[in-house]
Amino acid sequence: METTSPVERLLRGVALTLVVVFFMFPIVWIFLMSFQTNETILRIPPSVVFTPTLENYAALITGKLQTASGTLDIAFMRNLGNSVLLSVASVALALVLGVPAAYAFARHKFRGSEDIAFTLLSFRFAPPLLVLLPLTQYFQWLGLSNTYFGLIWIYQLICLPLILWIVRGYFEDISADVEYAYRIAGHSWFSTFRKIALPLAGPGIAAAGLLAFIFAWNNFVFALVLASADKQPVTVGALAFVTASGIQYGQIAAAIVLSITPTLALALYAQRYLVEGLSLGAVKG
Amino acid sequence: MNATALLIDSVDKFYGPVDYGVHAVKQLNMEVKKGEIIALLGSSGCGKTSTLRMIAGFEPVSRGTISVAGRQVHMLAPVRRNVAMAFEGYSLYPPLTVRENMAFALKASKLSQSVVDEKVASIAKLLEIEDILGRYPSSISGGQQQRASLGRALIRDADLHLLDEPMGQLEPQLRAVLRGRIKHYIKERGLTAILVTHDQTEANALADRIAVMEGGVLQQFDTPQKIKERPANLFTGTFVGEPPMNVFEASVNGTDARVTFGLKDGVRLEYQAADFSHAVRDALMKRQNVVLGIRPYSVRRSADGVTGRVAVNQWLGDQTHIAADFAGGTMVLVEHDRTSLEIGQPIGIRLDPASLHVFDSESGMAISHGEELA
């Protein structure tokens, strides 16, 4: 182990602290805001000293938003439920479709395989707004607008390429000979995929799934255009806090805290896989 | 007992489109009897591993047929070919211990647990990996992984055992010991093994016959002794043997009484016509240019020989390697005693006609070995 002088260690500590403060400050500030009323938030000069209140959270959970001009119904909890449903279902579908596809692209070089893989990746190049207009038309003709099915389908534009490319890199990292050894010992192609390839690529699949979940969770524009109020996720639902009688900063902050909680919990839980998976798999993809 | 274990018939392998891709194996024909150990010997990229993978079924055959134990297998999935293989990259299953890895290879054979345990124990003893049976592949050394992988292949009772560089990672001492044991194990059970290697010592020690490959072409398929004594062409002659065979281009001039080879720098090697058989002499007279080859340990020093100058004199502990500037090239001699030759010192070199290999200067094919026609 290399030795470091006390000065160097001190400087390193200061630098790390600065970075952490810089990145954590907005989150901490939002966390504090979620326990304040609009008046204490907007007070000048701002202060970190205040009497905490739970009324923002209460309003979100009961769905009754008290404003100066009366009580407003908000569907935040429903939005949260929609977010969970849409993200989980999209990632699940993308895993079911993407993992076997990634395996195929990694192991079998067939005519046009690179082109197909690249086309799938190119879904992520196009700005969403570019495809939204024609998509809206199609969805209306097909009767898919404002359905969970339609949204989950369109979320594949986000999840599928991500999972496909990360998991593919991971499969490519597994020596094909391990699978050959299994096959030559008397096992079929499918059981090799299930018993050898899948478990070995496990961390990579978990990492890709988590990443896809975060992207799906944070999506805004597809849901905004293609779904109406009762199918919208939290990202779109947060717009309801901009009311005729002003912006409800406290509720927005509380909503943000609530909506990042599931992703944060998932990310903390899967952190180990995420680092391992991304550093081993994606680099070579 | 002499049934055919493996028959490779006119096999071509192309990577990419047939006839246009990289031609890795060219018109390969090979017949291996049951109970034989065969070494595929060649430098990297010579097609030996491609051949092995085609037999195992990991690479499709572009043209031709492969039969194992009388069954055509080249269109079958690997699982249905009944071959075992040890991989160069070991390819152990990471979540399983060494013991489980080896036992796993027997799973499909539905043996009872006690038989499996017994087999694992005996092969572990053979390969000296008894102490690591309970460990996982990630926690053992490369050499140990290689032995585990070898054990996983040898433990099976397959029609054919394919071993891809099976001992490359082992320490030299262990390698020498294991070579003997593995050969004994294979012979005792009447197994048939195809071994891919670039190490000629390994090929010589293990194999009954060696298939020398280069550029995707089978150069020679014969016993180790024949390959050394009667190389079919210039490639085999120079590839097999350590240090390599000395080769010199020469013009041929023959009369009824004498045969003269003219080398570079005006060096002339003169022989009595009677030194060669009639047939060899006739073959030589038909040509103007040939390539002469002679093994380093067949080169003799003699006061009345052609003069060369010592460039290197190395005592290797059991033999001396002398390199001398000779006829515009280098002539390497091997002697068993330590010599006190100085660098630059002239020495007389004599090439015994009985140890001369003569090759065609264009095709590289052998014309004669000593007194006999190739």
Side-chain angles (χ1 to χ4, degrees):
Chain A
M1 211 176 131
E2 64 182 286
T3 52
T4 46
S5 71
V7 183
E8 206 176 327
R9 251 179 294 162
L10 183 77
L11 287 176
R12 196 173 287 180
V14 170
L16 279 174
T17 314
L18 280 176
V19 170
V20 169
V21 166
F22 181 80
F23 283 107
M24 291 305 288
F25 181 76
I27 295 171
V28 172
W29 196 247
I30 281 169
F31 187 71
L32 293 177
M33 271 167 73
S34 72
F35 293 103
Q36 301 177 48
T37 60
N38 247 9
E39 292 77 56
T40 47
I41 292 168
L42 296 173
R43 144 180 88 159
I44 291 177
S47 160
V48 288
V49 185
F50 59 92
T51 346
T53 165
L54 283 174
E55 70 178 54
N56 294 325
Y57 288 98
L60 289 177
I61 290 163
T62 57
K64 300 281 181 227
L65 185 58
Q66 308 291 338
T67 66
S69 52
T71 308
L72 218 61
D73 277 339
I74 47 163
F76 179 77
M77 292 315 280
R78 189 181 172 99
N79 290 336
L80 200 62
N82 285 342
S83 272
V84 172
L85 175 72
L86 289 174
S87 304
V88 169
S90 306
V91 171
L93 182 62
L95 283 174
V96 168
L97 297 174
V99 171
Y103 183 74
F105 285 129
R107 281 286 177 267
H108 305 284
K109 297 286 169 244
F110 46 90
R111 192 185 299 269
S113 63
E114 280 307 312
D115 301 323
I116 297 172
F118 192 77
T119 307
L120 285 167
L121 183 67
S122 71
F123 291 167
R124 303 238 358 120
F125 302 163
L129 286 172
L130 193 73
V131 293
L132 257 174
L133 193 66
L135 219 54
T136 317
Q137 280 288 345
Y138 287 142
F139 267 47
Q140 259 151 24
W141 292 335
L142 293 168
L144 284 174
S145 51
N146 200 27
T147 58
Y148 287 122
F149 178 77
L151 277 177
I152 290 166
W153 191 1
I154 230 55
Y155 272 30
Q156 297 310 310
L157 286 179
I158 306 164
C159 300
L160 195 57
L162 208 67
I163 285 176
L164 189 78
W165 277 78
I166 294 179
V167 175
R168 176 194 182 178
Y170 217 85
F171 278 133
E172 277 170 353
D173 271 3
I174 304 171
S175 153
D177 282 351
V178 180
E179 292 174 31
Y180 289 147
Y182 194 79
R183 288 178 65 186
I184 210 169
H187 300 270
S188 70
W189 170 86
F190 184 69
S191 80
T192 310
F193 173 66
R194 225 160 38 92
K195 295 275 180 55
I196 300 290
L198 274 187
L200 287 181
I205 295 171
L210 179 63
L211 214 59
F213 182 86
I214 293 172
F215 275 90
W217 185 273
N218 290 341
N219 181 263
F220 173 75
V221 73
F222 286 128
L224 175 72
V225 176
L226 297 173
S228 59
D230 63 327
K231 305 278 191 321
Q232 278 169 347
V234 278
T235 43
V236 184
L239 285 178
F241 300 114
V242 184
T243 66
S245 57
I247 300 169
Q248 306 298 315
Y249 290 106
Q251 275 93 357
I252 292 180
I256 289 171
V257 171
L258 282 182
S259 58
I260 62 173
T261 308
T263 2
L264 192 68
L266 202 61
L268 284 177
Y269 170 71
Q271 198 179 28
R272 198 164 52 88
Y273 298 117
L274 193 64
V275 173
E276 199 178 309
L278 289 180
S279 56
L280 278 176
V283 178
K284 241 189 90 185
Chain B
M1 190 60 204
N2 275 336
T4 302
L6 170 69
L7 183 65
I8 298 177
D9 188 9
S10 317
V11 162
D12 274 301
K13 174 67 193 171
F14 291 91
Y15 289 99
V18 175
D19 288 330
Y20 297 98
V22 178
H23 203 172
V25 175
K26 296 172 188 163
Q27 281 297 304
L28 181 64
N29 290 293
M30 199 183 270
E31 187 179 351
V32 177
K33 299 278 178 221
K34 186 167 166 21
E36 268 191 309
I37 304 177
I38 301 299
L40 299 180
L41 179 66
S43 45
S44 33
C46 73
K48 58 192 196 296
T49 297
S50 292
T51 304
L52 203 69
R53 297 178 85 87
M54 283 193 288
I55 300 171
F58 305 144
E59 289 290 348
V61 173
S62 305
R63 253 201 303 264
T65 62
I66 296 179
S67 309
V68 172
R71 289 185 306 142
Q72 279 209 353
V73 297
H74 62 282
M75 297 305 283
L76 299 179
V79 46
R80 296 178 56 203
R81 298 192 182 196
N82 195 23
V83 297
M85 180 156 173
F87 292 83
E88 189 184 4
Y90 329 135
S91 301
L92 299 167
Y93 315 126
L96 303 185
T97 63
V98 171
R99 181 198 310 278
E100 289 164 341
N101 259 287
M102 293 201 288
F104 202 84
L106 295 172
K107 218 170 187 178
S109 63
K110 298 189 175 62
L111 293 169
S112 75
Q113 190 59 45
S114 59
V115 177
V116 170
D117 289 345
E118 203 175 297
K119 281 187 174 242
V120 170
S122 88
I123 200 109
K125 184 158 183 261
L126 179 94
L127 298 169
E128 296 186 13
I129 48 174
E130 294 148 295
D131 51 331
I132 54 160
L133 279 178
R135 307 216 353 226
Y136 289 93
S138 55
S139 72
I140 58 178
S141 73
Q144 290 169 326
Q145 288 186 45
Q146 184 154 48
R147 279 178 279 159
S149 154
L150 190 55
R152 186 176 63 180
L154 289 177
I155 201 168
R156 281 185 56 200
D157 189 20
D159 286 330
L160 203 56
H161 286 76
L162 309 172
L163 313 174
D164 194 355
E165 303 276 2
M167 289 181 231
Q169 289 298 315
L170 306 185
E171 298 154 34
Q173 264 179 327
L174 187 62
R175 199 182 305 181
V177 174
L178 287 191
R179 254 188 230 134
R181 283 195 204 158
I182 289 168
K183 182 161 187 170
H184 181 74
Y185 178 92
I186 293 174
K187 288 290 170 193
E188 198 179 50
R189 282 161 184 74
L191 306 178
T192 313
I194 314 283
L195 155 93
V196 158
T197 182
H198 62 267
D199 177 356
Q200 29 177 304
T201 319
E202 195 168 297
N204 280 323
L206 275 168
D208 299 313
R209 285 193 291 163
I210 299 177
V212 181
M213 292 185 76
E214 171 65 13
V217 179
L218 180 62
Q219 305 286 333
Q220 190 167 4
F221 185 30
D222 217 327
T223 61
Q225 191 187 357
K226 279 272 180 59
I227 284 188
K228 209 148 205 186
E229 289 174 359
R230 304 178 60 83
N233 56 33
L234 199 51
F235 176 82
T236 317
T238 50
F239 186 75
V240 181
E242 181 56 40
M245 180 187 270
N246 297 297
V247 287
F248 293 91
E249 288 175 15
S251 60
V252 196
N253 219 319
T255 65
D256 283 346
R258 317 185 71 77
V259 177
T260 309
F261 295 106
L263 279 64
K264 275 189 195 148
D265 289 354
V267 173
R268 296 171 72 79
L269 300 173
E270 302 210 357
Y271 297 98
Q272 302 292 329
D275 287 337
F276 299 95
S277 67
H278 278 290
V280 171
R281 209 162 45 196
D282 286 347
L284 289 177
M285 303 277 251
K286 273 189 236 155
R287 291 174 169 82
Q288 290 180 326
N289 292 299
V290 293
V291 177
L292 295 180
I294 187 158
R295 302 258 177 222
Y297 45 79
S298 302
V299 182
R300 301 273 171 268
R301 276 200 284 145
S302 153
D304 60 350
V306 181
T307 308
R309 278 183 193 284
V310 176
V312 177
N313 177 9
Q314 277 183 312
W315 170 242
L316 300 180
D318 56 350
Q319 48 181 272
T320 303
H321 285 193
I322 301 161
D325 295 328
F326 179 84
T330 303
M331 176 73 83
V332 177
L333 300 75
V334 173
E335 295 187 356
H336 291 289
D337 303 315
R338 206 163 181 162
T339 59
S340 56
L341 294 171
E342 302 282 333
I343 307 295
Q345 182 180 338
I347 51 170
I349 290 170
R350 191 164 62 84
L351 305 180
D352 209 344
S355 11
L356 268 189
H357 301 272
V358 185
F359 301 95
D360 189 281
S361 62
E362 273 156 37
S363 67
M365 297 308 288
I367 299 166
S368 66
H369 304 292
E371 290 193 350
E372 292 172 51
L373 269 185

